[in-house]
Amino acid sequence: MIFSMQRREVATMAAAAAALAVLAGLPLADDGFWLALGISIASYVAMATAWALFSGPTNYVSLATAAFFGSGAYVVSALAESAPWPVILIAAAAVGALLAFAVGVATLRLSGVHFVIFTFGLAELIRQLVTWYQTTVTGSVGRYIFVEISAAQIYWQLLALCGLTFFIGWAIARSRLGFALRVIGDDETVAAHSGINTAQCKVLLFCISGTLIALVGAVMAPRFTYIEPSIAYGSMVSFQVVIMALLGGARRLWGPLVGVLPFTLLYELISGRFPNHTHLLLGIAFLLIVYFVPQGVSGLLVKAWNRMPWRRAAAAGSKA
Amino acid sequence: MAAGGRRREQGVSAAPQLKVADLTKAFGGLLAVNQISFDVRRGEILGLLGPNGSGKTTLLNLVSGAMLPTRGTVSLDGRVLTGLAPHRIARAGVSRTFQLVRMLPSLSALENVMVGAVFGPGRVWGGEAEAIGRALLERVGLAGRESLHPAAMTYIDQKRVELARALAGDPQVLLLDEWLAGLNPTELQTGIALIESLHAEGRTVVMVEHVMDAIRSLCDRCVVMNAGAKLAEGTAEEVLSNPEVIRAYLGDEHA
Ligand SMILES: Nc1ncnc2c1ncn2[C@@H]1O[C@H](COP(=O)(O)OP(=O)(O)O)[C@@H](O)[C@H]1O
Ligand SMILES: [Mg+2]
């Protein structure tokens, strides 16, 4: 039942592909506010989904998103003039994977809370290192990024990354790795005693997640035009991704997606109406979410769906 | 056995399969396991007895790799297991159950069992893992409950699932930590028959147990521990009539 591809899955995939195709038409309709909003949403969907690939099953809250995002962006700034775009993307992915591998191996023995702090510290550390490198070696903190790329092209690449992230998540769920992760999430001791190399699974997943986030950083880099460490490695992105993923529900592949939409709207609303209290209000919203919607919006949706009359009839029918 | 694949020779062979040598575990100043040595032969059921707190669970933890010993080694067919990570020991063919049953709550009964088949020494996948899971659930008496989740199962049924999971990888050596504890008389008879059937297919079992009937009818040999040290070793009749063992279990006035 978890192995063979079901008709429903095929239908879901077809629907996802159709949705991506429709969304890809956005730049044709508008290339101002809505395209900018689309870019923002697509980048957060890709990042929050990639974040949840690792943090959903393992329950490890990573605040290293900024480290991956920033490193991806910095690869672009370093290579923009010397390498073609596809090579730049491959380099960004490689840097993300290597960074994730190093962090994963270094944090294997850390428990939950320590992991959170380590990953947060890591993003800050890398930011300081890049700052130090730029001031002592290149002589200036900031860099200009000149890449011939339009907003629409950025948007399409982000959509493609979203599609890739969902596809990877789907493939993992069907694999031994996905099965291992469910076991690890339930009981790590049982996992290890059943023959699961828990450390390897976690590092592998962290690498996949970090690679995807670094790619988002690379694709987004040309939007900045001018980057410096405090922009590329800004810790807000780490927190926003966590909030969005938890709001949507990190345990379902589509959970973060339904978290990004309300969050982005909430963010627009709060930062528009109360520009001086944005972070305070976001913090309060976050607390309320964690307290009242621990399963995330996706959890609520599933519950509501199962309460629908036709679902109840189906459940009763299958029992009889 | 449908799940096993590999068939074993009947009966107990003379060669030691699992060798525990000078095994010692100190928790601070407490010697929970103190210089324990014994062999388990292929196809044998070895009972591990001793009063509460005598170090039986700790000993199983040292064998399964949950803890590192302070000193000593465990080896399987001559290969030293000590120092290997638990997942390597599991893949080498040693699987276990836990004294306090450990279910995977978000997985169905069938998936719980499949974990052992997918990641254990068998390392099967797909329909094969599912077939093994179904066969083993039936074997432990849970046919028809494949899709139940642990929260909806009784403690005893959870223990059955846990045994099925431990068997699903087709292990060479099975470690049972008080698997029969808490069963009512009828369930106990079923449980004993089940372990007897493991014996019949030639599986090596080390079982920590307090239930005397089970020990007498199942165990080829017993090792008795007291305060971390080995107190006695021999057949069930020998060790259960040993005055020192009786004293350890019941206190001085009964000896
Ligand atoms: N992780 C641990 N840390 C400290 N002491 C422990 C630990 N595990 C067991 N012990 C102690 O080791 C002794 C043996 O315990 P245990 O192996 O559980 O005994 P048994 O299974 O025979 O009842 C007990 O005194 C127990 O308190
Ligand atoms: Mg015990």
Side-chain angles (χ1 to χ4, degrees):
Chain A
M1 47 175 181
I2 62 173
F3 304 106
S4 55
M5 182 133 140
Q6 293 175 346
R7 198 172 295 171
R8 226 182 79 194
E9 265 182 309
V10 178
T12 309
M13 279 209 168
L20 276 178
V22 170
L23 288 172
L26 171 66
L28 308 176
D30 179 86
D31 59 0
F33 171 78
W34 292 105
L35 181 56
L37 189 67
I39 287 176
S40 168
I41 288 179
S43 72
Y44 279 118
V45 166
M47 284 195 286
T49 308
W51 180 89
L53 284 184
F54 170 76
S55 295
T58 60
N59 292 324
Y60 279 102
V61 171
S62 160
L63 288 177
T65 304
F68 298 122
F69 182 88
S71 299
Y74 259 92
V75 168
V76 177
S77 86
L79 299 180
E81 273 121 68
S82 53
W85 187 241
V87 174
I88 295 178
L89 288 185
I90 290 170
V95 167
L98 282 176
L99 184 60
F101 181 77
V103 176
V105 170
T107 54
L108 276 180
R109 310 213 180 287
L110 299 185
S111 64
V113 179
H114 298 102
F115 181 82
V116 180
I117 295 166
F118 186 100
T119 52
F120 182 69
L122 173 90
E124 293 296 303
L125 175 74
I126 292 181
R127 175 165 97 176
Q128 297 303 332
L129 283 177
V130 173
T131 308
W132 172 83
Y133 177 83
Q134 294 206 307
T135 45
T136 55
V137 180
T138 65
S140 74
V141 178
R143 283 183 78 107
Y144 287 92
I145 297 181
F146 299 111
V147 182
E148 280 293 316
I149 194 166
S150 70
Q153 285 170 321
I154 289 177
Y155 173 72
W156 286 322
Q157 291 184 28
L158 289 171
L159 277 189
L161 272 178
C162 288
L164 178 68
T165 307
F166 275 98
F167 179 78
I168 289 175
W170 172 82
I172 289 175
R174 294 166 50 87
S175 70
R176 290 178 99 93
L177 175 62
F179 195 35
L181 290 168
R182 291 173 64 200
V183 180
I184 293 172
D186 269 4
D187 189 328
E188 209 161 326
T189 303
V190 170
H193 281 91
S194 304
I196 295 173
N197 187 343
T198 56
Q200 191 188 55
C201 288
K202 284 191 262 183
V203 171
L204 183 59
L205 209 64
F206 198 52
C207 287
I208 293 172
S209 171
T211 305
L212 289 166
I213 296 172
L215 277 170
V216 175
V219 172
M220 287 295 277
R223 295 282 288 170
F224 293 127
T225 317
Y226 172 83
I227 66 167
E228 54 178 43
S230 60
I231 300 172
Y233 290 99
S235 60
M236 256 317 267
V237 70
S238 300
F239 289 102
Q240 283 174 324
V241 161
V242 174
I243 295 172
M244 291 179 199
L246 293 185
L247 172 61
R251 291 209 133 221
R252 288 180 186 82
L253 185 56
W254 51 276
L257 172 71
V258 296
V260 171
L261 299 176
F263 180 89
T264 313
L265 296 179
L266 194 70
Y267 191 86
E268 289 282 315
L269 191 79
I270 292 178
S271 61
R273 293 239 180 121
F274 314 97
N276 298 326
H277 306 295
T278 306
H279 288 183
L280 175 70
L281 290 171
L282 275 185
I284 292 172
F286 178 60
L287 291 182
L288 293 177
I289 289 162
V290 170
Y291 195 80
F292 289 106
V293 201
Q295 299 291 311
V297 175
S298 65
L300 291 185
L301 289 178
V302 167
K303 231 187 240 168
W305 172 252
N306 285 336
R307 271 204 218 108
M308 293 292 165
W310 63 87
R311 290 286 297 175
R312 270 203 235 143
S318 72
K319 253 177 234 155
Chain B
M1 172 178 84
R6 213 177 318 155
R7 246 178 210 290
R8 291 177 181 75
E9 279 173 50
Q10 197 89 6
V12 179
S13 87
Q17 183 174 32
L18 189 75
K19 202 171 175 62
V20 171
D22 193 31
L23 209 56
T24 301
K25 177 70 183 180
F27 293 117
L30 173 79
L31 282 169
V33 173
N34 189 1
Q35 299 184 320
I36 299 276
S37 301
F38 60 83
D39 291 346
V40 189
R41 281 168 276 178
R42 188 178 302 281
E44 182 175 48
I45 297 191
L46 181 96
L48 193 55
L49 324 185
N52 278 330
S54 57
K56 307 179 295 292
T57 297
T58 305
L59 185 94
L60 291 196
N61 284 338
L62 298 176
V63 175
S64 73
M67 295 172 176
L68 278 177
T70 310
R71 202 171 55 240
T73 56
V74 177
S75 39
L76 178 71
D77 289 320
R79 175 185 174 200
V80 175
L81 298 180
T82 306
L84 295 182
H87 72 269
R88 291 200 181 279
I89 294 178
R91 286 184 203 172
V94 178
S95 71
R96 68 172 296 177
T97 65
F98 296 87
Q99 183 171 351
L100 295 173
V101 69
R102 295 184 89 126
M103 287 283 92
L104 301 165
S106 74
L107 272 59
S108 70
L110 178 59
E111 288 171 328
N112 260 281
V113 180
M114 282 164 58
V115 169
V118 169
F119 300 106
R123 296 193 82 68
V124 297
W125 181 240
E128 200 181 339
E130 203 177 308
I132 290 174
R134 286 182 191 282
L136 280 169
L137 278 179
E138 185 176 348
R139 182 166 177 192
V140 299
L142 290 176
R145 319 249 188 106
E146 287 81 4
S147 55
L148 274 191
H149 278 251
M153 306 179 85
T154 63
Y155 186 71
I156 302 306
D157 284 352
Q158 293 186 10
K159 285 195 136 188
R160 295 177 197 230
V161 173
E162 201 187 30
L163 177 65
R165 183 174 71 210
L167 283 172
D170 191 19
Q172 313 243 356
V173 175
L174 184 64
L175 310 173
L176 302 177
D177 198 349
E178 303 198 21
W179 191 76
L180 294 166
L183 272 60
N184 70 32
T186 326
E187 291 163 343
L188 189 61
Q189 286 318 308
T190 323
I192 289 176
L194 195 56
I195 298 177
E196 183 55 47
S197 75
L198 301 178
H199 197 208
E201 70 187 23
R203 216 173 281 278
T204 310
V205 180
V206 175
M207 52 187 284
V208 171
E209 204 46 73
H210 287 302
V211 182
M212 289 304 163
D213 285 348
I215 295 165
R216 283 207 177 82
S217 62
L218 289 172
C219 298
D220 299 300
R221 271 179 331 119
C222 296
V223 167
V224 187
M225 290 177 72
N226 189 30
K230 185 164 93 175
L231 189 62
E233 180 174 353
T235 65
E237 288 312 320
E238 279 164 15
V239 299
L240 292 178
S241 58
N242 182 324
E244 286 199 55
V245 172
I246 295 169
R247 197 179 304 135
Y249 263 100
L250 301 173
D252 280 330
E253 65 274 20
H254 292 270

